[in-house]
Amino acid sequence: MKFFEEYSTIIGLLTLTFVIVVLFSTPSMMFAKSITAIDTELARTSGDAMQVRTKMDLGSNEYMNTFPTELGHWKGSDYDTTNLAAGLGADVMLMRAYTSPESYQPLFFLIVQSDNRSSFHPPIVCYPALGYTIVEEGKEEVFVHVKNVGWEEEFSVYGKSEEENTSISVKKLVVVKEANGKITERRVVLYFYINRGFTSNTVTMLRVSALAPLSGSYEGVLEIEKEFLNEAFPHMFEFEKKDRLVICRLMDHGLLGWLFVIVSFMIPILIICYPRFAKG
């Protein structure tokens, strides 16, 4: 007991810290899968960031190749990206052309991941390097239909996740190629990043692009790309339900919950004060 008396203050403070961390956390923070974020920015977190859970192993080429080749009325065919991935310094790359009977031309889908942030080239760098000129840059809102899963559903056999429509922000580029002063090609590009926080050097980008008419409106192509993302998104991500703090959940149980909270705080305080009680 002499050891306990001597170190009771340290033990009590550590216990109090543990109690505070647990009570002011959410169950999903302690039990759920790791959280990542989709964002329109690569080097910093923007106001567009949205937390998600990845349903795919984005760090595995083998797993990425199992991404559905059929999405709704879209059917995809793979490109050989071996040389391209090596040139870009990419660790994982999936590139497909998806066609649909409802669209007169293919849509190009790309997922690329690199563990070297400094060697990663975003579209605003890549397209000019390929001879394109960026004529428009902005953001678009894409509505997606996804599962909204909480930690209870993850650990419960009978738990049912909810589904909801929500919107995500993506970057938009309109790029053109010219020859002899005339536009020979125009593309509409939508893309976003999958960030794992500042502690990770891994960069993942998802991009969708399609050819657009050389002049006039490109809204038809833009809507087709948004429709495709709506089909693809649920196969890659799910959202986390907004969770409440543990202390709030306990207080919802009335007197019993309040007593548990009070006792949780009293135990470390009693440990800290133990030497005085022992001497008294």
Side-chain angles (χ1 to χ4, degrees):
M1 297 301 290
K2 185 177 180 181
F3 173 85
F4 189 78
E5 289 182 22
E6 186 175 351
Y7 293 98
S8 60
T9 301
I10 296 175
I11 296 171
L13 289 174
L14 290 174
T15 306
L16 181 61
T17 301
F18 176 78
V19 169
I20 292 173
V21 169
V22 171
L23 291 181
F24 289 90
S25 299
T26 62
S28 59
M29 291 170 62
M30 295 183 287
F31 301 115
K33 300 175 184 176
S34 59
I35 300 298
T36 58
I38 54 176
D39 202 350
T40 54
E41 299 296 334
L42 172 61
R44 60 183 175 82
T45 301
S46 73
D48 302 315
M50 181 175 292
Q51 288 190 334
V52 295
R53 297 181 187 177
T54 55
K55 297 173 67 176
M56 302 180 62
D57 183 1
L58 299 174
S60 167
N61 275 306
E62 292 75 13
Y63 200 100
M64 286 299 299
N65 287 330
T66 65
F67 185 78
T69 53
E70 294 190 13
L71 294 169
H73 51 75
W74 296 92
K75 293 186 178 181
S77 56
D78 289 327
Y79 286 95
D80 183 1
T81 60
T82 305
N83 295 331
L84 181 59
L88 293 175
D91 301 296
V92 178
M93 179 176 284
L94 174 69
M95 182 182 287
R96 281 190 185 147
Y98 280 88
T99 57
S100 167
E102 300 180 11
S103 178
Y104 60 92
Q105 58 185 344
L107 184 148
F108 304 99
F109 177 68
L110 171 70
I111 299 178
V112 59
Q113 178 171 296
S114 174
D115 287 332
N116 189 351
R117 186 179 290 264
S118 62
S119 68
F120 188 84
H121 297 153
I124 56 174
V125 175
C126 282
Y127 277 104
L130 294 172
Y132 290 89
T133 301
I134 299 175
V135 296
E136 188 177 334
E137 184 177 356
K139 295 180 182 180
E140 290 287 333
E141 292 294 316
V142 178
F143 287 92
V144 291
H145 186 71
V146 292
K147 288 184 177 180
N148 194 352
V149 180
W151 71 280
E152 298 97 332
E153 288 82 12
E154 188 173 342
F155 291 95
S156 173
V157 176
Y158 305 104
K160 293 184 179 180
S161 58
E162 300 173 359
E163 293 189 353
E164 66 174 30
N165 288 315
T166 189
S167 65
I168 60 171
S169 293
V170 300
K171 276 287 188 70
K172 179 187 71 176
L173 294 179
V174 180
V175 299
V176 299
K177 264 189 178 181
E178 295 179 308
N180 300 321
K182 293 184 179 180
I183 294 176
T184 59
E185 184 180 319
R186 184 163 72 149
R187 288 178 181 264
V188 179
V189 184
L190 298 180
Y191 66 97
F192 60 85
Y193 300 103
I194 304 162
N195 296 327
R196 292 169 177 80
F198 295 108
T199 58
S200 174
N201 202 38
T202 301
V203 178
T204 308
M205 183 190 72
L206 188 150
R207 189 190 76 191
V208 174
S209 63
L211 293 170
L214 298 180
S215 61
S217 174
Y218 56 78
E219 288 299 321
V221 173
L222 182 61
E223 290 304 315
I224 289 173
E225 292 179 347
K226 290 182 178 182
E227 176 194 331
F228 177 84
L229 284 175
N230 188 30
E231 292 282 357
F233 203 87
H235 294 277
M236 297 180 289
F237 308 106
E238 60 190 12
F239 290 116
E240 184 190 30
K241 285 182 181 178
K242 291 182 179 179
D243 211 348
R244 301 178 69 221
L245 298 178
V246 171
I247 190 171
C248 296
R249 286 173 171 264
L250 289 171
M251 290 178 177
D252 288 342
H253 289 79
L255 181 59
L256 187 62
W258 278 91
L259 286 174
F260 186 89
V261 172
I262 293 171
V263 171
S264 298
F265 279 106
M266 286 299 298
I267 289 174
I269 293 173
L270 290 173
I271 293 174
I272 294 172
C273 297
Y274 174 77
R276 295 184 181 181
F277 295 147
K279 292 176 181 179

